[in-house]
Amino acid sequence: MQMQLSNPAAILLRLMLIAAFVVIPAQPAAAQAPATQGNDLFLPLVANNSTAAPAGLYAQLLQRVAQHCGATGLNQICYVNGVVSLNAADDGFNAPGAVADLTDGAIVRVTSTGSSIDQLSAAWLRLRTVTPDHALTILAFGNVQIEEIALFVNETDLNNEKTLPSLRFASSPIAGVDKLGSSGLIVANPAEEDLLSLTLNGAALTLGSTALVEATPGAEMKVTMASGASRTEANGGESTAAQNQQVSVPLDASGNATGAPTTARELTDDEFLAQMLDELLEKLKDQIALANTALERLNRATDRCVAGQARYIYNVLYWVRVIEKTPGIKGLINNTLLSQAYSRAANCLSFEVVFDSTVNTTHPNLRMSSHLNMEGMPVQFLVDGRFIAINSSLDYVSYSYIPSQSCGPISIAKTAGELEVDSASLQIAGNKVRVATTLRVSKMPDESATISCPPAPPLVVGEDHWVSVFFNMHEDLWQKPDPSFRFSEWKYNGGVNFAEAVYVRNNTDSGFTFDTTTYLILVHTPVQ
């Protein structure tokens, strides 16, 4: 639901919706305006059927955000309430309504003395993600320290080894408050159709909804879903969760993830009743509706993907994981409808692999060059991880054998080879899709040069040039003894050229210089 009002505080005095958002896009930092001019906010709200002003603590916090933070731009922080500090010497960030730029390495401290709105401290962060039109928002409240912030600045950060934005944080209960969840981060994604990711304490969290995250160094980080679904990755493991489920990640004494996340578990009734922000979490009344929502989101992502929006490949893979891995979801979905959805999803996961490789050998007395290309090998992935591929010809673009001197004419012969896919995978990792392929040279290409110098018999030279040089220059990728090569260093683009890999190698031995350049492109070719 989208609303745009000149007074953001008035929004919070009307209708509070469970598992939904009031979506009002905030201006970017470069075009900030005073809050009184109606800059708009992304705020996760809670439900009740009354039109009266809600009295709950969470609603009051959101009122303070609406009141003070309308001018907050991307990669900025807003002082919401109580005692908040940014770095050690930022004297300008000293009162509710103050807005400041975040920088890599920034430190944020939020300190509270009690659980009333006058005692509870909070800061609000808007962090840019891979989707430039949307920001992840973080409401830090209670007793929280955030450090080691690393920002997502532009598209080049998509291929950072770590999912950005990233931060490390610790939260501790407010003294004298016996309620659960008195301190932590409320992480919200206001984009209904886009999944956004960040790294918290070394664990990548992707969500299209709202989560309460608490972290105790030396113990664990808890991700509790207030609405929607999430996927948490850490130390080679993953766990998906839906509304009212919780996932835990073990932390070392420094607050870094040390193990894989646990399987999601349902919160107990007592845990619901004991929450300090009691409006943030509400008991789920219809599990079937939640399961059907996951199926609906999968179908919508597939529709966009098949229509040519390649970035929704990520969403398709995400919602398949949510359905398959989240406790209590798959068993509630109609088998026929799920089968149809998975069949359509395969139409999204359709590609062609382009392979192009050039091998050069130089010597003071000789130059050889082989250039081979496979235009496009069809590969279709299925949602269960299997794939279907068709072998394709590895054709010569050119071949040359040029000696420094020759006693006669040189004729060239070349025979195309063939490539096949031995294995392939698409895996979501943080905010990107990780691609890996193993290509087998099922038929060796062959080339040679024949030098004719009568009356001597013809001399055949330069045989198997591409095979001999390529295999030796890519020995680290060679799956010996099989003539297969494992390509895993793909750059994720998310467009029509969905991913690409470039391998450049060179070596000098016994006066010969060998150079190879190999390009691989995974082209998205959805089936309409």
Side-chain angles (χ1 to χ4, degrees):
M1 177 175 67
Q2 186 161 350
M3 302 174 63
Q4 192 163 9
L5 302 174
S6 59
N7 182 1
I11 301 170
L12 299 171
L13 299 177
R14 295 188 177 184
L15 185 65
M16 310 297 272
L17 302 175
I18 185 72
F21 295 93
V22 171
V23 179
I24 314 174
Q27 293 183 13
Q32 291 175 22
T36 55
Q37 293 184 8
N39 270 27
D40 301 327
L41 303 173
F42 292 118
L43 297 177
L45 301 183
V46 293
N48 74 49
N49 295 322
S50 170
T51 58
L57 185 58
Y58 181 50
Q60 293 179 64
L61 269 180
L62 295 186
Q63 289 176 12
R64 298 291 173 98
V65 174
Q67 177 184 354
H68 297 303
C69 300
T72 309
L74 294 178
N75 290 340
Q76 290 194 319
I77 181 173
C78 174
Y79 194 130
V80 176
N81 201 55
V83 179
V84 180
S85 67
L86 173 63
N87 301 322
D90 195 336
D91 297 332
F93 192 77
N94 56 15
V99 174
D101 292 327
L102 288 168
T103 57
D104 286 345
I107 299 175
V108 178
R109 292 183 177 88
V110 177
T111 307
S112 301
T113 58
S115 59
S116 72
I117 190 62
D118 294 327
Q119 298 171 312
L120 187 64
S121 300
W124 195 62
L125 293 75
R126 292 190 71 234
L127 301 179
R128 186 194 163 171
T129 67
V130 65
T131 306
D133 296 334
H134 304 296
L136 275 169
T137 67
I138 295 178
L139 182 62
F141 69 96
N143 292 325
V144 172
Q145 177 164 315
I146 300 173
E147 53 191 25
E148 296 183 11
I149 292 176
L151 301 173
F152 188 105
V153 178
N154 54 51
E155 285 71 14
T156 60
D157 290 326
L158 182 59
N159 285 286
N160 192 296
E161 183 177 349
K162 179 185 292 185
T163 296
L164 298 179
S166 173
L167 57 88
R168 185 159 60 89
F169 84 101
S171 59
S172 58
I174 301 173
V177 176
D178 58 1
K179 292 283 190 178
L180 298 178
S182 65
S183 301
L185 307 180
I186 298 173
V187 183
N189 172 9
E192 182 178 354
E193 297 299 333
D194 289 307
L195 299 163
L196 304 180
S197 305
L198 78 166
T199 298
L200 299 175
N201 292 5
L205 174 65
T206 301
L207 73 169
S209 47
T210 304
L212 168 63
V213 190
E214 305 161 84
T216 304
E220 63 182 351
M221 179 174 72
K222 297 184 292 187
V223 180
T224 306
M225 295 309 300
S227 65
S230 69
R231 180 174 184 265
T232 304
E233 307 165 57
N235 289 279
E238 65 164 321
S239 184
T240 58
Q243 183 182 347
N244 301 328
Q245 294 181 345
Q246 185 180 91
V247 168
S248 297
V249 179
L251 301 180
D252 63 17
S254 298
N256 297 309
T258 58
T262 62
T263 300
R265 69 171 184 86
E266 299 283 342
L267 293 182
T268 66
D269 290 339
D270 288 342
E271 287 173 315
F272 280 103
L273 296 173
Q275 294 294 321
M276 186 181 79
L277 301 183
D278 53 357
E279 308 120 320
L280 177 63
L281 304 179
E282 181 168 313
K283 187 71 173 179
L284 185 66
K285 297 179 177 63
D286 191 346
Q287 292 264 2
I288 295 177
L290 180 63
N292 287 337
T293 296
L295 181 64
E296 178 186 351
R297 296 294 294 273
L298 170 60
N299 283 328
R300 295 212 304 255
T302 299
D303 289 341
R304 287 166 171 77
C305 177
V306 169
Q309 299 183 57
R311 66 190 182 94
Y312 281 96
I313 293 169
Y314 181 99
N315 296 48
V316 168
L317 295 172
Y318 175 91
W319 287 110
V320 168
R321 300 300 286 176
V322 168
I323 291 170
E324 290 291 323
K325 299 294 185 179
T326 305
I329 295 292
K330 185 177 181 180
L332 297 176
I333 299 176
N334 178 278
N335 288 335
T336 300
L337 294 179
L338 184 59
S339 178
Q340 292 172 350
Y342 280 3
S343 178
R344 292 185 62 249
N347 292 339
C348 159
L349 307 177
S350 178
F351 302 88
E352 288 185 355
V353 178
V354 175
F355 178 90
D356 189 277
S357 179
T358 299
V359 167
N360 294 308
T361 300
T362 59
H363 184 272
N365 299 321
L366 176 66
R367 296 200 314 272
M368 285 188 290
S369 180
S370 302
H371 182 188
L372 289 90
N373 177 270
M374 179 182 69
E375 287 190 355
M377 175 192 294
V379 180
Q380 186 172 47
F381 291 87
L382 307 179
V383 297
D384 61 4
R386 294 178 298 161
F387 66 92
I388 302 169
I390 300 174
N391 293 10
S392 294
S393 177
L394 182 59
D395 299 313
Y396 278 90
V397 177
S398 64
Y399 169 68
S400 62
Y401 181 95
I402 306 174
S404 58
Q405 295 181 352
S406 177
C407 60
I410 301 174
S411 59
I412 299 298
K414 50 188 184 291
T415 303
E418 190 173 86
L419 292 181
E420 67 180 22
V421 178
D422 186 49
S423 66
S425 64
L426 292 177
Q427 298 287 338
I428 53 175
N431 57 357
K432 49 187 163 291
V433 178
R434 182 172 295 145
V435 178
T437 56
T438 300
L439 297 181
R440 175 187 286 117
V441 187
S442 55
K443 177 184 176 183
M444 299 293 173
D446 178 56
E447 74 271 75
S448 64
T450 300
I451 304 176
S452 298
C453 298
L459 177 64
V460 179
V461 294
E463 298 172 284
D464 302 324
H465 176 239
W466 183 86
V467 169
S468 59
V469 176
F470 183 88
F471 277 52
N472 281 282
M473 295 291 284
H474 298 84
E475 194 166 9
D476 57 320
L477 310 178
W478 186 359
Q479 309 298 295
K480 296 180 181 181
D482 194 66
S484 299
F485 295 85
R486 179 73 171 174
F487 299 102
S488 57
E489 298 176 12
W490 291 79
K491 176 185 176 183
Y492 171 62
N493 298 323
V496 174
N497 287 352
F498 188 70
E500 58 187 32
V502 181
Y503 292 84
V504 178
R505 307 288 174 86
N506 57 75
N507 188 33
T508 299
D509 186 17
S510 302
F512 287 87
T513 299
F514 306 98
D515 296 283
T516 65
T517 302
T518 300
Y519 298 91
L520 294 97
I521 304 174
L522 190 66
V523 182
H524 187 220
T525 57
V527 179
Q528 300 293 330

